[in-house]
Amino acid sequence: MQGLAASSRIVLVVFLLSMAGAAAADGRKRVVSSSSDEPCTKMTLYLHDILYNGVNNSQNATAAPATRPTALGTTYFTNNTFFGMMVVFNDLVTEGKELPVGNEKPAALAQGFYFYDKKETYAAWFSFSLVFNSAAHKGTLNVMGADPMDEDTRDFTIVGGTDDFFMARGIVTIRTDLVQGSFYFRLQMDIKLYECYV
Amino acid sequence: MQGLAASSRIVLVVFLLSMAGAAAADGRKRVVSSSSDEPCTKMTLYLHDILYNGVNNSQNATAAPATRPTALGTTYFTNNTFFGMMVVFNDLVTEGKELPVGNEKPAALAQGFYFYDKKETYAAWFSFSLVFNSAAHKGTLNVMGADPMDEDTRDFTIVGGTDDFFMARGIVTIRTDLVQGSFYFRLQMDIKLYECYV
Amino acid sequence: MQGLAASSRIVLVVFLLSMAGAAAADGRKRVVSSSSDEPCTKMTLYLHDILYNGVNNSQNATAAPATRPTALGTTYFTNNTFFGMMVVFNDLVTEGKELPVGNEKPAALAQGFYFYDKKETYAAWFSFSLVFNSAAHKGTLNVMGADPMDEDTRDFTIVGGTDDFFMARGIVTIRTDLVQGSFYFRLQMDIKLYECYV
């Protein structure tokens, strides 16, 4: 009897807790993860940055430098590290590693900018929105963070989201997956949300 | 009796919950909204972007391009979509649709930048602070997000705030309310906070 | 008896609450501060911005203008207020007021950008990452906000963090501590986190 009473009390408390912790978007409930190993939402996507070469790739290019490297980058180190060069992008984001073919839709677009910010070597800083408009997801995730390119993995912050990702927060762990010459790179993005509405 | 005991337990639990959930700024309590339809704070404001025309509006202008459109915008599509053009702004924000007249103070200033990021059409990306310094509100709200201009409404993320908006989070839904030529646009901003300190 | 039963109920509730409120990063627990006067983490650091003078300080310089001031800044007010000038930086951050000497490591690096955004006087807007890689701290804090330079203190928002600062949120209160000519300034940063994982 006592055991039963106690467990019904727990049910009551848990019910009230979920009310207090909850903030429903269209009936959805707020979830805060109980461990950094257990995000409430998780997905891996690939970002393709195709830089305009100024010559013949305007059809495919999704990014272009909006500013030039500053003299600080070239003066300090003759091997130009692009210090201060800011690139605006609207990159394709896919579930697999390949670019979409034919009428295939990308999983998302990554719209934002990065700039190089280290005179001695290559390092960058990013801020962008992942814009989803597919059968799987609608809405955006807003992201920012430092990209010390010589480390294997780097963590960006997911500062918020909209629609399917209403009020989300989390981490994007990025990895440089492929670099082809000066005009293409692919980043693996492991997206982990720790505050979700599900 | 049993009913009474149960309800006093609920009071206790709710009291403890509000302690746990609370984080007071100057005695204020943290509130997390229980529904996306019921923000804890809500207001509608209008942002006026008056772009410097390079000729004769330096008195009124509140925004100016800091970078030029990249060749990607003009090469791909002769109808220049300003890809990569970044505009810095310090725009007037008002409660009504009209610009302040005489000594009238604006409700806030919007200080930040946007850039165009689509080669095929007009789309932008914003990051800015709403700076309030009026009888009604003091403090800032920090905002970022993608602006797909061809959609009726677009959602930016409110990533944080200060003073009256200490640690706020939420959404700004924007609508293009008016465009006059190339040098003026007005955005309606429906500001909804889902994490507040009240 | 009744008193004892009640207190055991409180223990139960508090235990469940801490589960609900917790989100452990590597076993760490989520803490939300109960007062704006009592951040869960607090530290004071100094940011040193050494602007490249274009002549002879490329060894020491940690910042350089990526864009020029717009005509709006110079036309409105002949005393150029640098409207639209964007500076990219990778600044040294120290615990004391002095720059590191010899092999001394900085407490952190501040990587990001600011731009001037007021035509009448000096005001700026910042977004950057504090990158820690020392015995004391590893990880990043991501920051953004308006900098009305003529006020004694200004508050930026800490929108997120990684590693030691996993999912952090808070406020950085800055103060201009020293300005030397046009090419050096030092900011005092009082960093206060109100959402921590400890």
Side-chain angles (χ1 to χ4, degrees), chain A residues 76-147:
Chain A
Y76 177 82
F77 187 43
T78 50
N79 215 344
N80 187 0
T81 50
F82 303 112
F83 190 100
M85 184 172 92
M86 170 179 156
V87 172
V88 170
F89 60 87
N90 197 332
D91 287 348
L92 295 165
V93 172
T94 55
E95 285 182 24
K97 295 194 174 201
E98 302 310 317
L99 281 162
V101 287
N103 289 325
E104 218 180 329
K105 281 189 68 175
L109 296 170
Q111 304 181 331
F113 69 107
Y114 60 84
F115 54 79
Y116 293 92
D117 63 5
K118 199 155 189 174
K119 63 184 180 187
E120 299 87 355
T121 178
Y122 301 109
W125 192 92
F126 278 73
S127 193
F128 60 98
S129 302
L130 288 169
V131 181
F132 295 82
N133 186 16
S134 69
H137 301 291
K138 293 206 189 312
T140 63
L141 286 172
N142 291 318
V143 179
M144 66 186 273
D147 180 13

Side-chain angles (χ1 to χ4, degrees), chain C residues 176-191:
Chain C
T176 306
D177 191 58
L178 184 65
V179 178
Q180 283 178 339
S182 301
F183 300 109
Y184 177 76
F185 64 77
R186 184 169 69 210
L187 300 179
Q188 181 181 327
M189 299 189 293
D190 293 329
I191 295 167

Side-chain angles (χ1 to χ4, degrees), chain B residues 9 12-13 16-17 20-26 30 52 57-67 86 88-90 109 111-113 127-129 131 140 142-144 159-163 166-169 195 197, chain C residues 6 9-10 13-14 17 30 32-37 67-68 70-72 75-76 83-86 113 115-120 123-125 127 144-148 151 155-159 169-171 193-195:
Chain B
R9 245 173 258 145
L12 174 68
V13 169
L16 287 165
L17 279 167
D26 313 319
R30 183 170 191 248
Y52 183 46
N57 71 343
S58 73
Q59 282 293 324
N60 297 326
T62 58
T67 66
M86 171 180 155
V88 170
F89 60 88
N90 197 330
L109 295 171
Q111 304 181 332
F113 70 108
S127 192
F128 60 97
S129 302
V131 181
T140 64
N142 291 319
V143 179
M144 68 185 272
V159 296
T162 64
D163 290 326
F166 177 72
M167 295 289 284
R169 293 187 72 228
E195 295 185 20
Y197 285 73
Chain C
R9 246 172 259 145
I10 294 178
V13 169
V14 170
L17 279 168
R30 184 171 190 248
V32 176
S33 292
S34 60
S35 162
S36 64
D37 299 327
T67 66
R68 297 185 186 180
T70 66
L72 182 55
T75 303
Y76 177 81
F83 190 100
M85 185 172 92
M86 170 180 156
F113 69 107
F115 53 80
Y116 293 92
D117 63 5
K118 200 155 189 173
K119 63 185 180 187
E120 299 88 354
W125 192 92
S127 193
M144 67 185 272
D147 180 13
E151 293 180 21
D155 281 351
F156 294 157
T157 294
I158 299 170
V159 297
R169 292 188 72 230
I171 299 282
L193 303 182
Y194 297 96
E195 295 185 19

Side-chain angles (χ1 to χ4, degrees), chain B residues 29 107 146 161:
Chain B
K29 266 176 53 182

Side-chain angles (χ1 to χ4, degrees), chain C residues 26-174:
Chain C
D26 312 319
R28 290 178 294 162
K29 266 177 52 183
R30 184 171 190 248
V31 175
V32 176
S33 292
S34 60
S35 162
S36 64
D37 299 327
E38 293 168 12
C40 38
T41 294
K42 202 162 112 170
M43 55 183 147
T44 293
L45 295 171
Y46 293 88
L47 178 152
H48 305 264
D49 193 72
I50 308 173
L51 205 63
Y52 183 46
N53 62 18
V55 183
N56 59 1
N57 70 343
S58 73
Q59 282 294 326
N60 297 326
T62 57
T67 66
R68 297 185 186 180
T70 66
L72 182 55
T74 47
T75 303
Y76 177 81
F77 187 43
T78 49
N79 215 344
N80 188 359
T81 51
F82 303 111
F83 190 100
M85 185 172 92
M86 170 180 156
V87 172
V88 170
F89 60 87
N90 196 331
D91 287 347
L92 295 166
V93 172
T94 54
E95 285 181 24
K97 295 194 173 200
E98 303 308 318
L99 282 161
V101 287
N103 289 325
E104 218 180 331
K105 282 189 67 174
L109 296 170
Q111 304 181 333
F113 69 107
Y114 60 85
F115 53 80
Y116 293 92
D117 63 5
K118 200 155 189 173
K119 63 185 180 187
E120 299 88 354
T121 177
Y122 302 109
W125 192 92
F126 278 73
S127 193
F128 60 96
S129 302
L130 288 169
V131 181
F132 295 83
N133 186 15
S134 68
H137 300 292
K138 293 203 190 314
T140 63
L141 286 171
N142 290 320
V143 179
M144 67 185 272
D147 180 13
M149 293 158 66
D150 48 8
E151 293 180 21
D152 272 0
T153 64
R154 297 86 78 183
D155 281 351
F156 294 157
T157 294
I158 299 170
V159 297
T162 64
D163 291 325
D164 285 1
F165 305 106
F166 177 72
M167 295 288 285
R169 292 188 72 230
I171 299 282
V172 183
T173 299
I174 62 159

